[in-house]
Amino acid sequence: MTIFLAVVLGVFLCVLHRLFIAPGRADRWVGKHFRASDYGLAPREQLDPRRPGPPPPPHRRQERQAVADAAWKGNWRAAEAYVTAAGDDWDERWSRTELLQEIAREDDAWLDAWRAAEPGNCDAATLHARIMVHRAWEIRGGGFAHEVPTDRMNQFRALLPAAIEEARRAALLDPANPGPWVVMVTAARGAQYGRAEFRPLWDGLAARAPHHYEGHWQALQYWCAKWFGSDRLMMRFAREAVRKAPQGSPLAGVYLHALNELTDRPVASPLPATHAAKNRLKRIAASFAEVDPDDERLPVLRHLLAHYMLRSRMYGPALEQFRFIGPWCGAEPWREDGDPVTAFETARGTAVKLSRAPATPTVASHGMGR
């Protein structure tokens, strides 16, 4: 029995050291000795808390500005051509309607003109339904249900069913287009759809675009515990996203948002700590290596991946992600305490220290490459 207790005590002390003592020592080492450039990382003085990643290339910014300028001058045809050019790349098409939504927030007279001129255009109808959902959420606000004034909650709940009906009509205009179904999946939780009502919406979206990133993110919100699911259902949905993510897609990153749902709450749930869970993070990292480095969803996901690898004591893989990230630190979770530079510096210094990485003076490229 004495030998058994000694073994148990030894294991306990080892775990205690790994969970509390080693990270504490790493924090002190970071503050006194860490020099990022010695380990292939951007120096602290180059860290940029304004963005999660590099800005879009100039040609992309110019194209978007041209679409906005044309719309505000009343030329809706530029917006139509911009969306149509995405073809059947449904993720890209959705991203382009996202830009149009932002343009319409400034002035939506061009959208009214578009819908009047082309009442059978699915993209125009989908954009209108999407704006209806966005406005409903603006009225509600981001607080918990008991914090929202009754009159605002009543407006919110009245607008969402109307938005869903608008999206249903849009879906009839182009049966192959998943955009209206993304709108319906997005609105379903706020409209208080039960699971039996929600599933046909999800099935309709998945039949048209089984790997749609935004559609998966919105469905994940439905399945989380604060809405109509549970931690178990949410994590099952997220694991399935990792399993079926196609090459070149950031879809596996939906799992990282699920982890964020577990930890970003007043009483956080523990992270999955099994060998399979750590392998899943490695699989996500491998899938990101196949994503276009210019994909604007990738930077935020790399920050989350580095964070959860660090929390899972995967220090070497986390360090690799920090090298990909470069100097950009304007992302969650580094912004939570109001000093993203310090939080980011501490995190990557901890990855260096606890991975026992050797010094390497070559600084990685400051993009979001592979």
Side-chain angles (χ1 to χ4, degrees), residues 37-58:
S37 57
D38 289 346
Y39 300 94
L41 299 164
R44 180 180 177 123
E45 58 269 19
Q46 294 181 10
L47 297 185
D48 189 339
R50 296 170 298 175
R51 300 182 55 85

Side-chain angles (χ1 to χ4, degrees), residues 19-295:
L19 290 179
F20 301 105
I21 298 174
R25 289 178 178 174
D27 284 353
R28 291 191 293 274
W29 177 82
V30 171
K32 292 182 179 180
H33 305 293
F34 177 52
R35 287 185 50 185
S37 57
D38 289 346
Y39 300 94
L41 299 164
R44 180 180 177 123
E45 58 269 19
Q46 294 181 10
L47 297 185
D48 189 339
R50 296 170 298 175
R51 300 182 55 85
H59 73 275
R60 192 175 297 174
R61 297 199 301 270
Q62 292 165 4
E63 180 185 36
R64 293 169 179 173
Q65 189 61 53
V67 171
D69 291 341
W72 292 331
K73 291 177 182 177
N75 179 11
W76 53 266
R77 294 190 182 279
E80 179 190 36
Y82 179 65
V83 174
T84 302
D88 292 342
D89 183 342
W90 299 119
D91 274 336
E92 177 63 19
R93 204 173 183 107
W94 181 262
S95 175
R96 293 185 179 210
T97 63
E98 190 169 61
L99 173 67
L100 298 186
Q101 178 180 316
E102 291 301 312
I103 295 171
R105 291 184 68 181
E106 297 286 332
D107 178 2
D108 63 358
W110 61 272
L111 177 57
D112 292 339
W114 183 11
R115 293 176 59 226
E118 294 191 337
N121 188 292
C122 178
D123 292 314
T126 299
L127 179 57
H128 181 241
R130 183 173 178 174
I131 290 172
M132 291 174 68
V133 174
H134 183 77
R135 287 175 177 165
W137 279 99
E138 282 188 326
I139 290 169
R140 183 194 185 281
F144 291 103
H146 68 275
E147 300 171 339
V148 181
T150 302
D151 60 330
R152 283 167 50 191
M153 185 62 81
N154 289 340
Q155 290 182 66
F156 171 70
R157 288 177 174 163
L159 281 171
L160 284 179
I164 291 174
E165 285 307 307
E166 180 73 9
R168 289 189 190 280
R169 288 191 288 270
L172 297 176
L173 301 176
D174 182 0
N177 192 328
W181 296 88
V182 179
V183 175
M184 288 185 270
V185 165
T186 301
R189 63 185 186 274
Q192 304 289 296
Y193 272 32
R195 295 177 187 177
E197 295 173 287
F198 177 78
R199 288 187 187 277
L201 302 183
W202 173 251
D203 290 342
L205 170 56
R208 291 161 175 81
H211 307 124
H212 199 287
Y213 182 89
E214 179 68 15
H216 276 77
W217 191 90
Q218 295 294 345
L220 181 81
Q221 293 300 306
Y222 181 91
W223 290 116
C224 72
K226 66 188 178 187
W227 285 103
F228 292 94
S230 63
D231 288 351
R232 181 182 63 83
L233 291 172
M234 176 186 70
M235 295 308 297
R236 184 173 70 184
F237 181 83
R239 289 192 298 269
E240 180 66 12
V242 176
R243 188 191 66 78
K244 69 182 182 182
Q247 185 176 4
S249 167
L251 181 61
V254 167
Y255 180 81
L256 302 172
H257 289 296
L259 296 183
N260 214 38
E261 286 290 338
L262 291 179
T263 59
D264 188 21
R265 55 176 63 162
V267 181
S269 298
L271 290 175
T274 63
H275 184 67
K278 292 183 178 181
N279 281 340
R280 193 169 294 113
L281 292 178
K282 292 180 181 178
R283 181 173 178 176
I284 293 170
S287 77
F288 286 176
E290 302 297 328
V291 177
D292 183 346
D294 289 335
D295 192 311

